[in-house]
Amino acid sequence: MRSFSEIETTVKRATKAIGFSWGIGEEMGKNIRLLEIFGLPGLKNINQYYKIFKISNFEDIKEISKSNTPKNHFCPILSGLNFMDQSSIISGFNELEIKNIAFPLLFIPFVSRTSEIIGKRIFFKMDNKEFLFNFNQSIYSNYLSGEVLEKANIIKIQFLDNKNTFNEDEW
């Protein structure tokens, strides 16, 4: 079994080798490590993505809005970085929608890490797969497959208000 540190280092180097900056390599190393820790097939997905990256015409979400639609497919890495970088703005939305994102599992760690940054839980629905992110501490999901997901038609993201699970009498 490979260690999580070994996975992170190898992904960082592969990301740089494919043409991304070292900074993006660092982020992707952390992200794939996170996916693997949570039992999601990060390494499988990044391998497939990097095989087609140079021949595909993936787009970037420059400015996240309530509704985001590309001409082709969004790049999960550049779009994920922008999602995380714009977290203070987008957390003001109740929900948002992203259509046609390539390799959506690679977008997931950016959402999980954003949950921690903004201090809110995030509900994420990708086609018929649901994920709940809890401050980058846990991911609840109905997706248990180890398969590569090449695209998601519609992703809906909701920013959940923090509420206690108990009332005042129970407290």
Side-chain angles (χ1 to χ4, degrees):
M1 183 171 162
R2 304 285 182 192
S3 72
F4 293 125
S5 180
E6 188 175 9
I7 290 168
E8 182 175 343
T9 300
T10 302
V11 169
K12 184 186 324 179
R13 290 177 180 162
T15 303
K16 176 62 175 154
I18 201 84
F20 288 106
S21 69
W22 276 116
I24 293 174
E26 291 274 343
E27 297 300 329
M28 289 313 298
K30 292 177 202 173
N31 284 357
I32 300 305
R33 176 188 184 125
L34 186 66
L35 286 172
E36 293 293 332
I37 285 172
F38 287 131
L40 296 169
L43 206 54
K44 280 183 181 181
N45 278 269
I46 198 79
N47 271 328
Q48 290 296 354
Y49 179 73
Y50 284 169
K51 286 178 184 176
I52 66 165
F53 173 74
K54 294 214 182 222
I55 59 172
S56 298
N57 190 20
F58 295 123
E59 297 175 42
D60 181 12
I61 304 175
K62 300 278 186 212
E63 189 174 327
I64 308 285
S65 64
K66 287 188 177 188
S67 181
N68 305 275
T69 306
K71 291 180 176 96
N72 185 16
H73 283 89
F74 283 124
C75 168
I77 296 170
L78 298 175
S79 299
L81 286 166
N82 284 330
F83 184 86
M84 205 164 68
D85 287 346
Q86 297 174 38
S87 61
S88 62
I89 296 166
I90 62 174
S91 66
F93 301 156
N94 288 330
E95 60 185 52
L96 62 92
E97 181 178 274
I98 301 171
K99 293 183 180 173
N100 300 329
I101 192 162
F103 293 86
L105 283 181
L106 301 177
F107 187 75
I108 282 177
F110 293 108
V111 178
S112 183
R113 292 169 64 196
T114 298
S115 174
E116 180 181 26
I117 292 167
I118 65 174
K120 289 184 177 183
R121 292 179 305 132
I122 299 175
F123 180 72
F124 179 96
K125 186 170 184 179
M126 171 175 52
D127 299 330
N128 61 352
K129 298 157 192 68
E130 296 179 347
F131 297 83
L132 180 63
F133 302 98
N134 293 295
F135 315 107
N136 203 28
Q137 297 298 313
S138 66
I139 298 174
Y140 167 79
S141 176
N142 67 351
Y143 175 74
L144 300 173
S145 173
E147 299 299 316
V148 172
L149 293 176
E150 292 187 8
K151 70 175 187 162
N153 294 320
I154 297 176
I155 291 176
K156 293 188 179 204
I157 299 171
Q158 291 179 301
F159 300 93
L160 306 176
D161 290 331
N162 295 328
K163 295 180 186 177
N164 292 324
T165 59
F166 51 87
N167 63 34
E168 284 300 314
D169 289 338
E170 293 164 329
W171 178 246

